Amino acid sequence: RWHRETNMPHDDNDGPEFDIDPAILERAEMAISALGDGYRDTVRDKADDMTRLIDTLAAGTADDTGARDALFRHGHELAGQGGTFGFAPLSDIGRSLCDFIDTRNGKVSSDDVAVFRAHVAAASQVVNREMPGADSTDTLLSDLRELVRRHMA
């Protein structure tokens, strides 16, 4: 039994209640899990697109602002969607990328490109599960934060 307004377990003194069929909850969890598998492919495609944008920025052959904005949008999407699909570290990586891009002004430097590439590599490692265990994830995120810190100084 669940409270209608708080969506928390119902206490007899809580007010209105509703019943949730456990089978419905199980189906919903399975559907979200299945989406997570598809999301892995989405992130791989996003990483490929981000790499193309970074290559364009590195070559200096396009409008930095447009490519940088597109890269920011990808980071923002990772930040917003990662945890939903079971890839919480992607949210941290996406936020870090957006925060870094927000600090950059003017022409993209080779250091900026290196930081952009590190974010894409980190996202790829997470989604390809190349990092067993929480310690590896924590180390990856810590290393990424340190890289950003050094380049923002």
Side-chain angles (χ1 to χ4, degrees), residues 13-77:
N13 299 320
D14 270 348
E17 67 179 74
F18 62 98
D19 292 322
I20 298 178
D21 182 348
I24 291 173
L25 288 176
E26 185 176 340
R27 285 196 305 271
E29 288 172 359
M30 288 174 27
I32 290 171
S33 177
L35 288 173
D37 293 338
Y39 184 66
R40 189 183 317 279
D41 293 333
T42 298
V43 173
R44 288 181 184 125
D45 292 343
K46 189 178 296 297
D48 290 344
D49 192 37
M50 292 168 78
T51 298
R52 282 189 290 279
L53 289 165
I54 295 166
D55 290 345
T56 299
L57 288 167
T61 57
D63 171 34
D64 281 357
T65 304
R68 198 179 339 200
D69 288 349
L71 193 59
F72 182 93
R73 279 191 302 278
H74 282 307
H76 185 71
E77 290 168 2

Side-chain angles (χ1 to χ4, degrees), residues 9-149:
H10 185 273
D11 181 343
D12 288 333
N13 299 320
D14 270 348
E17 67 179 74
F18 62 98
D19 292 322
I20 298 178
D21 182 348
I24 291 173
L25 288 176
E26 185 176 340
R27 285 196 305 271
E29 288 172 359
M30 288 174 27
I32 290 171
S33 177
L35 288 173
D37 293 338
Y39 184 66
R40 189 183 317 279
D41 293 333
T42 298
V43 173
R44 288 181 184 125
D45 292 343
K46 189 178 296 297
D48 290 344
D49 192 37
M50 292 168 78
T51 298
R52 282 189 290 279
L53 289 165
I54 295 166
D55 290 345
T56 299
L57 288 167
T61 57
D63 171 34
D64 281 357
T65 304
R68 198 179 339 200
D69 288 349
L71 193 59
F72 182 93
R73 279 191 302 278
H74 282 307
H76 185 71
E77 290 168 2
L78 288 175
Q81 298 169 352
T84 301
F85 294 107
F87 297 96
L90 288 179
S91 294
D92 295 327
I93 293 165
R95 275 191 297 277
S96 174
L97 177 61
C98 289
D99 290 347
F100 182 74
I101 291 171
D102 276 344
T103 68
R104 308 323 314 159
N105 295 313
K107 187 107 174 105
V108 172
S109 72
S110 59
D111 286 343
D112 295 342
V113 168
V115 174
F116 296 156
R117 290 193 195 284
H119 282 84
V120 174
S124 295
Q125 285 180 320
V126 169
V127 81
N128 291 324
R129 296 187 180 179
E130 294 170 358
M131 315 160 22
D135 288 343
S136 297
T137 302
D138 290 343
T139 300
L140 174 76
L141 295 174
S142 176
D143 291 350
L144 193 57
R145 279 191 292 272
E146 178 58 22
L147 176 68
V148 169
R149 188 195 63 74

